[in-house]
Amino acid sequence: MTRKLKKFIPQTEEEMTVEWLTDSFRESGIVGNSNVISFSSKEPESGEGFSGLTLRVDLEWDNFEEGMPETVLVKFPSTDSKNRALLERDGAYDREFDFYERFSDRFPVRVPKLLYSIRDPISDIESRKKLNKRIELLPNGAAKFLGGNARKFIRPSSRRYALITEFIENARTTTTENLASEKDLLEILESLAVIHAHWWRHPLLDDDKEGIAWPTVTHTPKLMNGLYRGSRDSVIERNPELFTPDMVRLTDWFSDNVVDAIGFLNEKLTLLRGDTRTDNMLFTNDGLVMVDFGSFSSGRPSCDVANLLSSCIEPGSNSLTVYQQLSGFYYESLVANGVTEYSKSQHENDMQVCLALQAYLLVLAAAHYEADYGESSLVKIWAERLMGLIPLTSPLLEEVATV
């Protein structure tokens, strides 16, 4: 049974109070004796997606203290119980808390300042490990059945989460539906190279106690492939224009090699920012600010790059050329920042493995997640952009020989 902290933690906009906000800022040392006497809240632009609700909260104080915020962002978990259960299974909420509490103050790219975080403790890590082992022992048929009915069987916990961060003023972003400019993409790629080089083979990556607990793919291979095999046919039947034979060839290749592929991608080469879509990037006059770290992890750097480029290049006859040019720019930036033992051929191969992962995850998203992305679904938008980037041959799940 989940242990709970003996204190009030709101989980919705309606549950927030001036008392809770005041206590939170005092506990963090943001203010001393001042009180929040009123506040107003609203959803900033994109509203509620997969992971939860983000609110812009404007504060009114009864007294002035140096450094007190006038506006903050408050994040709560998803109110969709099925989405939340799947996100908790992937560790999304704990990943973001771990990032802000333990790594945000030493991140080489600007992120919002952490003002307050609170979550109920993880109930029983050993039980989770035992469950993963039991899943890996399931027959393939049982795993497929479990995967096909995941939204029925997986239940959310009763844990509570609340995160308050700095609000970034006068920032612009590019939503999922739109396409970022080349200038913005180059700035993101340069920032990713700085992050990856800064954490390249860092000792913390292998530190079991103080290190990064989250690999880029957290699902057990058996459960992940059960999700895929249990939903593959129905997803293709519903979306034949998106999951074309070439796309399915790639996702089936990943499925057939899922154990080796996950092990390959999870190799701890560097810290990964995770979920590098452009709507998680804020552009300001002072430079790029990265937000939303529910996919924070470690692994191969190309996971970050492929996640970005596969989601934001305009479909068309020139898309592959643009993709290759931008991928090459990232690699040159990585080398310029000091990473010299990672060959270009290895990077290009790893990008193909990561594209296969993106396509594979789109099948799972089409089957199991629900979110509002305006007139079109995230799966449709992303699949249309990914189609033109599909490799003609299967990549290698090993170190690539350099010529």
Side-chain angles (χ1 to χ4, degrees), residues 77-349:
S78 177
T79 56
D80 184 306
S81 62
K82 296 177 181 178
N83 280 5
R84 173 172 170 163
L86 291 166
L87 286 158
E88 285 189 311
R89 177 69 193 170
D90 196 39
Y93 302 124
D94 287 309
R95 290 196 205 206
E96 181 154 49
F97 276 76
D98 285 353
F99 172 80
Y100 274 109
E101 292 171 355
R102 300 176 53 227
F103 293 92
S104 61
D105 61 349
R106 45 182 163 171
F107 207 58
V109 173
R110 185 184 172 192
V111 300
K113 181 181 178 182
L114 174 64
L115 302 179
Y116 181 74
S117 64
I118 188 167
R119 53 179 161 164
D120 287 320
I122 298 175
S123 57
D124 189 345
I125 294 177
E126 289 305 314
S127 292
R128 177 171 175 157
K129 290 180 179 179
K130 290 177 181 177
L131 175 60
N132 287 345
K133 290 180 179 179
R134 288 199 296 269
I135 290 172
E136 285 304 296
L137 294 174
L138 287 175
N140 290 335
K144 181 178 178 179
F145 176 78
L146 177 63
N149 294 276
R151 290 182 70 87
K152 296 179 182 178
F153 293 138
I154 299 178
R155 298 284 185 269
S157 76
S158 60
R159 292 176 67 202
R160 299 165 299 168
Y161 313 80
L163 187 69
I164 306 178
T165 66
E166 170 191 13
F167 177 75
I168 306 299
E169 297 279 1
N170 301 317
R172 62 176 177 82
T173 188
T174 302
T175 62
T176 301
E177 297 93 331
N178 300 313
L179 293 164
S181 67
E182 180 180 355
K183 179 177 179 294
D184 287 350
L185 290 177
L186 293 177
E187 185 173 4
I188 296 170
L189 290 167
E190 172 64 29
S191 298
L192 289 175
V194 169
I195 294 167
H196 297 157
H198 179 81
W199 291 97
W200 192 261
R201 298 192 183 279
H202 194 283
L204 274 179
L205 297 172
D206 291 314
D207 190 321
D208 292 335
K209 293 184 178 180
E210 301 296 329
I212 302 166
W214 307 102
T216 190
V217 184
T218 55
H219 285 308
T220 62
K222 181 78 75 170
L223 177 61
M224 191 171 185
N225 225 28
L227 290 167
Y228 176 79
R229 289 297 178 186
S231 54
R232 172 192 182 276
D233 293 346
S234 60
V235 166
I236 296 170
E237 184 178 353
R238 291 196 306 270
N239 307 275
E241 76 287 0
L242 301 178
F243 296 96
T244 62
D246 280 343
M247 183 83 82
V248 174
R249 171 183 56 81
L250 190 63
T251 59
D252 281 348
W253 171 84
F254 195 93
S255 174
D256 293 340
N257 296 277
V258 66
V259 174
D260 291 339
I262 289 178
F264 182 79
L265 294 173
N266 283 347
E267 184 177 355
K268 298 177 181 179
L269 295 185
T270 189
L271 179 151
L272 299 183
R273 181 257 179 271
D275 201 3
T276 51
R277 291 176 299 145
T278 54
D279 51 359
N280 292 329
M281 310 289 172
L282 303 181
F283 296 91
T284 75
N285 292 335
D286 298 321
L288 180 68
V289 183
M290 294 185 173
V291 298
D292 293 337
F293 288 87
S295 298
F296 160 66
S297 60
S298 65
R300 289 187 172 260
S302 301
C303 291
D304 273 350
V305 185
N307 180 265
L308 171 68
L309 297 184
S310 65
S311 66
C312 65
I313 295 177
E314 185 174 8
S317 59
N318 196 43
S319 61
L320 183 58
T321 299
V322 174
Y323 162 82
Q324 290 170 338
Q325 290 172 344
L326 292 171
S327 175
F329 172 82
Y330 161 81
Y331 179 76
E332 292 170 2
S333 299
L334 185 68
V335 173
N337 278 280
V339 178
T340 58
E341 71 272 28
Y342 187 62
S343 71
K344 187 173 184 179
S345 57
Q346 188 68 55
H347 164 67
E348 291 171 346
N349 176 82

